[in-house]
Amino acid sequence: MMSPQLFLLFLPFLLAFSILPDTTCAAGTIIFTTLGRSRYNFDIFSLPITSSCSRRRPIAVDRHGEHRLTDGVSVNFNGYFPSLASSSFLSSLLPSSSSSVDSLLYVSERNGSSAIYLDLFLASASSSSPSTRRDALELQTRLQFPLVLPPDDVAAETAPNVSMKDRPSLSGDLLVYVSTHQPNPSPRQSWTAVYSTHLPTGRTRRLTPSGIADFSPAVSPSGAWTAVASYGATGWPGDVEELRTAIYVFRTEDGSGRTLVVDHGGWPCWADESTLYFHRRGSDGWWSIYRATISVGTTTVSLESVVRITPAGFHAFTPATSAGAPGIIAVATRRQTSNYRHIELIDMRSGTNAYVEVTRPVTPYSHNYNPFISPEGSQVGYHRCRGSGNGSPSLLLENIKSSYPEAFSLLRVDGSFPSFSPDGERIAYVKLPGLFVVNSDGSGGPREVFSGIAFPTAWDWKRKGTIYTSYGPDFAAEGTQVDIISITLPDEDDDDAGNAQPSIKKLTTGGANNAFPSPSPDGKWVVFRSGRSGHKNLYIMDAVEGESAGIHRLTEGPWSDTMCNWSPDGEWIAFASDRDNPGGGSFAIYMVHPNGTGLRRVVHSGSGGRTNHPWFSPDSKSLVFTSDYGAVSAEPISNPHHYQPYGEIFTIGIDGSDIRRLTHNSFEDGTPTWTPYFLEPADVAESLQGSAWCEFDDCHWLNIQAQLDEAGRGTSC
């Protein structure tokens, strides 16, 4: 029988699910891609730490004692070991017949959005005592609780009920974390802020000042203070590698006493009430760990000193400490001896730093992320890809919880530049290389129809089974050999369709970076971008015969017009352009009539901002697009590689009104498309082989050999 405490914890969720609006009349489906995300398959793991009271004997890690703490469902990351003894509320969740073996706070993206979960691992009080902690974990029963409910401190019309939750920690009964549920009033500024929730009452308080973004919170051992990485009032300047944040400290109780203590640093953690560790990239280019000694008064905090802990020659970042392991720091590293990110412990107790490998001896060919240490100092945790066969399947289509389920379903696809066939039955997408087609319900599996490097995809409205794409290098200069082709699939009704090959026709000539084709709804024309004039502008050509049957220039100027999309009603062509600041890297979305009249800007995220990949809604009244309008939501170094970690999916009316944020994560979302056909908001699994499960890159800018080569070129004669 469920205890009263458990019932009360779950009651708001039961009520929320019972009042969700009916989505059977939703206006279609939006699908998009997230760079690498479908391959993460993260779970949280731990290894035991053995330590001697003697400073002369270094710590050690039991390399045979690795245990997976999370359950293999979805993507689980950024763990934290809470102290149940300090939380009366969490202790009250334990059944009287059991004792807790372990507990874990973490972020999970199960059920279509990121949320904070608590897992309690129980062992029967009547069972015999296990001989080791690993034995105990294998005998455990798992109780799992989602901890943070949709906010009740803001009106539903001003804040979405879907948001990113991240970096949880627990101080007594106070859960401290970041969330993106309140919009930043300024475009191109992060929505990420620190909140606290009192678990017994559910009362939630924003600790970050309005209009400010805070990242990577850490609560001091006493719970009195919280340290964060923040740009303060200056805001995000567009950083995509190191966030040039400062370290601020404020009172955990109410956010008061906010003080800047270190003017350059990120990912803070507390060793004690007067010692902070953090990372930053030094002037020599190496990411290193630093120690800040601070003076904490009754109402004030001040900096006394900053000392670099790790030397040049390797990268060290995302530090973690524990009051139960004084003199020990867990860090992630990138060294010349490995192409993978690994976890190490730094033992500083003897006065000279001793480095102890944690993950490389256990999983030498896996990236391991964001370490954390248990309160008593006996475990080090981290997350990595769990590999094949050890949890829920990889997904071809992943249902993403939408704040607007009455309007559309929202799905992530394991591929880039997706588009729907006019009847909604099939989806085309690319893998770079390779163009694939799959039934929209996932049945039958994907079929490769073109093996080259192709981008993007768009189906002809009238000719069944015809897909337009461009083949050649992406992100290339104006004169690069890129041309537009049409791919016509065999008619599925033919008896020999299974053996027939697609027919391919080249539509452009000259190869002057002709790309991003989009057909008119009457099937007569294709709009595309081309660099044939020396600048990327828009052109219109015959949909069947290509430019050999004639070509018309739509836009002209010394800038880049690209990523065009023809509206379903035929009235407009939307595109991304840097014409506001040619060559400056900033893109806005414009619309123009096919005859070249009516040019107007729809949305721009601000100076230096990027809004790209527009796609019209089925009724031609809105656009879906990707943008940095919400800036970044986490420190990029805490994730795998993303070229543009600010990418999120938004919609907007074609008159520039009613901008809505659809996705909330710290990854790179992009290339959305919109169909009038409603797909059920459900996951569709795909079959992957071997290493494809974990096929993603660590941050490219942590490549040490490239850094050393660059340094060598800079000092050579």
Side-chain angles (χ1 to χ4, degrees):
M1 180 176 180
M2 183 177 287
S3 69
Q5 293 93 335
L6 298 186
F7 177 77
L8 291 173
L9 190 65
F10 279 107
L11 179 59
F13 291 93
L14 299 174
L15 294 175
F17 285 126
S18 68
I19 61 173
L20 283 177
D22 181 8
T23 60
T24 56
C25 297
T29 300
I30 292 174
I31 62 175
F32 65 95
T33 188
T34 303
L35 179 67
R37 166 60 178 74
S38 299
R39 295 292 187 268
Y40 287 178
N41 298 299
F42 287 149
D43 264 325
I44 296 175
F45 295 78
S46 70
L47 278 165
I49 302 172
T50 58
S51 179
S52 169
C53 295
S54 171
R55 294 174 179 264
R56 296 181 180 179
R57 295 180 61 186
I59 55 172
V61 175
D62 180 2
R63 296 166 182 171
H64 302 290
E66 187 183 62
H67 184 75
R68 187 175 74 176
L69 298 179
T70 46
D71 57 8
V73 176
S74 187
V75 175
N76 309 295
F77 55 98
N78 287 351
Y80 176 89
F81 290 120
S83 173
L84 293 184
S86 66
S87 173
S88 59
F89 178 74
L90 296 191
S91 297
S92 71
L93 299 178
L94 297 174
S96 58
S97 60
S98 298
S99 60
S100 175
V101 171
D102 216 334
S103 58
L104 179 72
L105 276 174
Y106 60 99
V107 180
S108 182
E109 294 195 343
R110 63 193 69 204
N111 302 319
S113 67
S114 70
I116 296 170
Y117 282 77
L118 168 72
D119 283 7
L120 301 179
F121 307 114
L122 309 178
S124 172
S126 60
S127 64
S128 59
S129 297
S131 58
T132 68
R133 179 182 167 275
R134 184 173 185 178
D135 291 337
L137 288 168
E138 290 173 349
L139 294 172
Q140 68 199 357
T141 297
R142 182 192 304 268
L143 294 181
Q144 189 173 81
F145 309 96
L147 286 187
V148 181
L149 303 177
D152 57 6
D153 57 338
V154 288
E157 63 270 16
T158 62
N161 58 17
V162 174
S163 63
M164 185 194 83
K165 304 292 192 300
D166 201 4
R167 292 303 308 278
S169 59
L170 190 68
S171 177
D173 288 337
L174 205 62
L175 182 71
V176 178
Y177 56 97
V178 298
S179 176
T180 59
H181 71 262
Q182 286 187 313
N184 192 309
S186 301
R188 204 169 180 250
Q189 291 305 315
S190 178
W191 296 19
T192 302
V194 176
Y195 297 81
S196 66
T197 294
H198 184 241
L199 293 177
T201 63
R203 183 176 183 272
T204 296
R205 180 194 295 268
R206 179 176 173 131
L207 303 179
T208 301
S210 177
I212 303 295
D214 286 340
F215 307 94
S216 311
V219 181
S220 68
S222 71
W225 298 93
T226 294
V228 297
S230 180
Y231 286 107
T234 60
W236 179 65
D239 298 335
V240 296
E241 295 181 6
E242 182 194 18
L243 302 189
R244 292 276 302 188
T245 52
I247 304 294
Y248 288 78
V249 171
F250 52 76
R251 289 193 173 278
T252 307
E253 179 184 17
D254 56 9
S256 64
R258 186 180 177 97
T259 304
L260 189 157
V261 293
V262 177
D263 61 9
H264 177 197
W267 205 269
C269 61
W270 298 83
D272 53 50
E273 294 300 306
S274 60
T275 306
L276 281 167
Y277 289 93
F278 61 93
H279 66 211
R280 72 181 178 207
R281 184 158 58 181
S283 58
D284 55 10
W286 298 101
W287 286 79
S288 296
I289 307 302
Y290 294 77
R291 180 177 63 231
T293 302
I294 61 176
S295 176
V296 179
T298 305
T299 58
T300 61
V301 178
S302 60
L303 177 67
E304 293 186 352
S305 65
V306 172
V307 177
R308 185 173 183 170
I309 300 300
T310 57
F314 67 98
H315 295 303
F317 42 89
T318 58
T321 52
S322 170
I328 308 298
I329 309 173
V331 297
T333 63
R334 284 292 301 270
R335 292 183 177 269
Q336 297 181 54
T337 53
S338 175
N339 291 323
Y340 293 87
R341 179 187 299 213
H342 283 296
I343 307 304
E344 299 183 33
L345 297 177
I346 307 175
D347 188 346
M348 302 184 298
R349 297 176 301 169
S350 65
T352 58
N353 295 348
Y355 292 85
V356 179
E357 292 184 319
V358 175
T359 58
R360 195 182 69 84
V362 180
T363 56
Y365 305 114
S366 296
H367 296 299
N368 297 266
Y369 292 86
N370 305 352
F372 56 104
I373 303 176
S374 61
E376 74 286 354
S378 65
Q379 305 174 62
V380 57
Y382 47 90
H383 64 263
R384 62 171 168 81
C385 181
R386 59 181 168 264
S388 61
N390 292 316
S392 57
S394 187
L395 299 177
L396 174 66
L397 293 173
E398 181 179 3
N399 172 46
I400 305 299
K401 189 175 293 185
S402 172
S403 294
Y404 313 100
E406 74 286 352
F408 42 74
S409 58
L410 185 64
L411 298 168
R412 174 188 286 127
V413 66
D414 183 18
S416 297
F417 297 103
S419 65
F420 281 91
S421 60
D423 60 7
E425 293 295 320
R426 291 182 285 181
I427 301 170
Y429 61 91
V430 303
K431 284 288 192 179
L432 297 171
L435 190 153
F436 296 79
V437 173
V438 66
N439 293 334
S440 56
D441 62 1
S443 62
R447 175 192 176 194
E448 186 178 56
V449 299
F450 182 74
S451 61
I453 296 178
F455 70 99
T457 67
W459 295 75
D460 191 280
W461 294 79
K462 299 297 183 180
R463 282 175 290 281
K464 183 179 179 181
T466 295
I467 304 168
Y468 299 95
T469 189
S470 47
Y471 75 97
D474 54 351
F475 298 106
E478 283 78 3
T480 305
Q481 184 74 31
V482 181
D483 273 304
I484 292 169
I485 59 174
S486 64
I487 302 172
T488 301
L489 307 179
D491 191 334
E492 294 179 330
D493 296 331
D494 290 349
D495 293 337
D496 60 348
N499 299 319
Q501 296 298 313
S503 62
I504 298 173
K505 184 173 184 179
K506 183 179 176 183
L507 300 180
T508 56
T509 60
N513 210 328
N514 304 298
F516 290 98
S518 180
S520 61
D522 62 7
K524 296 180 178 180
W525 312 103
V526 169
V527 62
F528 65 101
R529 77 107 196 268
S530 177
R532 62 189 63 203
S533 70
H535 302 286
K536 294 175 182 176
N537 293 149
L538 301 186
Y539 297 79
I540 295 175
M541 66 178 173
D542 185 88
V544 178
E545 300 301 327
E547 66 174 278
S548 64
I551 189 170
H552 165 68
R553 186 167 185 167
L554 181 61
T555 65
E556 183 174 358
W559 48 68
S560 291
D561 296 332
T562 186
M563 305 174 190
C564 40
N565 183 249
W566 209 311
S567 65
D569 64 6
E571 291 295 313
W572 292 100
I573 292 170
F575 60 97
S577 177
D578 70 349
R579 60 180 59 207
D580 294 315
N581 182 22
S586 178
F587 282 81
I589 290 177
Y590 283 79
M591 295 199 323
V592 66
H593 290 302
N595 63 5
T597 65
L599 177 72
R600 70 170 188 253
R601 191 172 77 179
V602 179
V603 60
H604 187 35
S605 69
S607 177
R610 292 191 173 192
T611 48
N612 289 318
H613 299 292
W615 196 286
F616 279 97
S617 61
D619 63 5
S620 301
K621 294 180 180 179
S622 299
L623 290 164
V624 62
F625 61 97
T626 184
S627 179
D628 64 358
Y629 199 91
V632 294
S633 297
E635 295 190 51
I637 198 170
S638 66
N639 283 324
H641 183 72
H642 292 276
Y643 296 96
Q644 300 170 122
Y646 48 73
E648 301 283 0
I649 307 301
F650 293 80
T651 60
I652 194 170
I654 61 172
D655 61 357
S657 65
D658 194 25
I659 188 168
R660 297 182 176 188
R661 180 172 177 173
L662 304 188
T663 60
H664 293 256
N665 58 59
S666 58
F667 312 136
E668 179 183 350
D669 297 334
T671 63
T673 188
W674 202 336
T675 179
Y677 296 94
F678 177 70
L679 295 187
E680 289 295 329
D683 295 338
V684 175
E686 66 178 330
S687 176
L688 294 178
Q689 301 298 320
S691 62
W693 270 73
C694 304
E695 204 171 65
F696 57 85
D697 292 341
D698 197 21
C699 300
H700 289 181
W701 31 272
L702 292 175
N703 186 310
I704 290 182
Q705 189 57 53
Q707 181 172 337
L708 294 175
D709 291 345
E710 181 67 25
R713 284 192 293 269
T715 58
S716 65
C717 296

